[in-house]
């Protein structure tokens, strides 16, 4: 199995409520991938409880049976749509993929 972990840091917003709305829309979009992409075996989203943190804001954890399935996920049209949404809001991204 492959564990795909991605962290996103979002840009600054005028208010915490605006930032929370953006986080919710990203979280919903990511979770909506479940059932749309056959290669995606598990997905969970963690949101930093401290909205004003200097750390990352969102953590994506997803599982795939093989590296080839992860590669198929990366280019899947539904994943690319969500990537566009995240790209409008994220200023930093970090990822780690490992076998478990």
């Amino acid at each position: 199995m492959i564990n795909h972990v991605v962290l996103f840091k979002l840009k600054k917003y005028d208010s915490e409520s605006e930032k929370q709305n953006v986080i919710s829309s990203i979280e919903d979009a990511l979770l909506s991938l479940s059932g749309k992409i056959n290669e995606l075996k598990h997905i969970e989203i963690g949101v930093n409880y401290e909205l004003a943190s200097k750390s990352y804001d969102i953590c994506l954890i997803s599982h795939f049976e093989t590296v080839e399935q992860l590669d198929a996920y990366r280019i899947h049209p539904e994943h690319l749509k969500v990537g566009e949404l995240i790209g409008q809001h994220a200023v930093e991204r970090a990822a780690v993929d490992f076998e478990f």
Side-chain angles (χ1 to χ4, degrees), residues 23-34 36 43 45 78 81-83 85-86:
I23 288 172
S24 293
S25 69
I26 291 172
E27 186 175 16
D28 291 346
L30 285 167
L31 291 173
S32 78
L33 296 176
S34 181
K36 293 181 182 175
I43 187 167
I45 310 301
E78 293 296 328
K81 285 181 198 175
V82 175
L85 170 66
I86 294 170

Side-chain angles (χ1 to χ4, degrees), residues 27-86:
E27 186 175 16
D28 291 346
L30 285 167
L31 291 173
S32 78
L33 296 176
S34 181
K36 293 181 182 175
I37 302 176
N38 292 335
E39 293 82 1
L40 179 62
K41 303 305 178 195
H42 170 80
I43 187 167
E44 74 183 272
I45 310 301
V47 175
N48 194 337
Y49 69 90
E50 187 179 346
L51 288 180
S53 173
K54 293 181 182 178
S55 186
Y56 287 88
D57 298 296
I58 301 170
C59 176
L60 161 68
I61 299 170
S62 52
H63 299 164
F64 302 88
E65 290 179 359
T66 65
V67 171
E68 293 77 19
Q69 286 187 354
L70 172 58
D71 290 341
Y73 164 81
R74 286 182 172 136
I75 62 171
H76 193 284
E78 293 296 328
H79 176 256
L80 295 175
K81 285 181 198 175
V82 175
E84 287 179 27
L85 170 66
I86 294 170

